[in-house]
Each structure stands twice: as structure tokens, then as C-alpha cells.
Amino acid sequence: MFLDECGFLLIPNVRRTWAPRGHTPIIRHRYRRDKVSAISAVTVSARRRRCGLYIHFYPGSNITHVEVAVFLRAVLHQLRGHVIVLWDGGSIHKGSDVRALLTRCPRLHVEPFPGYAPDLNPDEFVWTHFKAALANGRPDQLDEPHGRAVPDHQEGAEAASAPPILYHGL
């Protein structure tokens, strides 16, 4: 399992775009410093030869070792057998809640990526996709980046009562 975190601001992420000559595109937005933090994992099943994607969103807050431990517990409930987690050397991966989870779950194994090697983590490409899907947009509310970057799988009351693992499958 490859794990990574990312953050999104409600300030527009401007990328190159096309426009008629002499008509520079203008994105009007409200300047808000709200943010959405997210953590995701790309899983690879050796037996079934399938990939999976698990994501948690945290509107308005930063991800700490507590959220990492909650996310790992939730993913462990979905996966069978031993799970090897490959992640960067971030300090949030070394917090007390994460260490406690590692001692309680002998089937969870952790391996760090080499320093300054984000290209080795396929989960980085998940965030590249998300940020490209959000480019040149102007979200006004914290739930808009989430709704625009991934397709709807649940609607209405089902979405309100959905567990924090929002998406699974590639």
C-alpha cells in the first residue's frame, strides 16, 4: 500500500489554458484561506491483481498522526492479510498514535521511501490528477473540491451517513 497526504486551498489553482488572442481568461473568486486536507492510499492486491484507492478528506484541518492512525485502521478493516505500507519520512507518520497502532497490529508493516523521492510513490499521481481536475476552478465552499475531483458514488442520505473511506477502486 502506497500512502500520501495532500492539501487543497480554496484559492484557484491556475494552469495554462486556451483563449482567443487578446482575451486573457479571468477567474473571479472570493479570497478565502479555507483548505481541505486529504490522505489516500493506493493498494495493489498480489492475488487478485487489482488496484484500489482509499481516500479520507478533512475539511478545514491539517492531518496529524491521529488522522493517519484513523485512516490506517479504516483501511486495515477493508484489507485482509499482511499489509505493507510504503510512505515518505513525514513526522506525522511517527506520532504516538501511529506507533501504538503499529504495536497493536502485527499484520501492519511499514517501510519508508528514500528521502526526496516522491516519484517512487504512485499515490503522488493521485494528487496530480486531483489538482489537474481542480485547475482553473474557483470553489466557494469546502465540499466543492471533493465533488469536482471525484465522481459521485453515493447521493442523498446515503452520502451523509457514508463511512470516511469515500472511494475504493480504480
Side-chain angles (χ1 to χ4, degrees):
M1 175 169 74
F2 301 92
L3 187 135
D4 197 32
E5 309 81 22
C6 188
F8 304 94
L9 293 175
L10 289 188
I11 299 169
N13 180 14
V14 180
R15 297 251 175 117
R16 186 181 306 183
T17 186
W18 294 96
R21 181 174 286 180
H23 299 288
T24 304
I26 298 172
I27 300 174
R28 300 192 192 285
H29 67 92
R30 287 185 236 151
Y31 184 77
R32 296 181 58 188
R33 303 239 352 132
D34 291 335
K35 65 181 171 191
V36 176
S37 297
I39 184 170
S40 72
V42 174
T43 60
V44 180
S45 171
R47 289 188 182 164
R48 295 200 283 164
R49 298 182 184 183
R50 294 183 57 159
C51 291
L53 175 63
Y54 297 87
I55 303 176
H56 279 192
F57 291 95
Y58 295 94
S61 66
N62 289 326
I63 293 178
T64 65
H65 60 93
V66 175
E67 286 82 13
V68 172
V70 168
F71 179 73
L72 286 173
R73 264 187 254 119
V75 172
L76 282 173
H77 286 301
Q78 302 291 320
L79 302 175
R80 296 181 186 158
H82 288 269
V83 176
I84 300 170
V85 178
L86 293 141
W87 57 22
D88 56 24
S91 61
I92 61 172
H93 302 152
K94 301 169 187 161
S96 58
D97 288 354
V98 174
R99 285 194 312 262
L101 179 65
L102 291 172
T103 57
R104 275 195 320 258
C105 297
R107 70 185 189 105
L108 182 61
H109 310 277
V110 174
E111 294 293 331
F113 279 113
Y116 304 103
D119 293 343
L120 297 177
N121 190 349
D123 203 25
E124 292 283 349
F125 299 108
V126 170
W127 302 126
T128 301
H129 169 76
F130 268 67
K131 289 189 176 187
L134 296 171
N136 300 328
R138 51 170 209 84
D140 291 325
Q141 297 179 10
L142 288 175
D143 60 347
E144 283 185 49
H146 165 269
R148 200 168 150 205
V150 291
D152 289 333
H153 291 291
Q154 299 172 336
E155 295 181 13
E158 292 176 11
S161 62
I165 290 188
L166 299 175
Y167 300 99
H168 171 226
L170 287 177

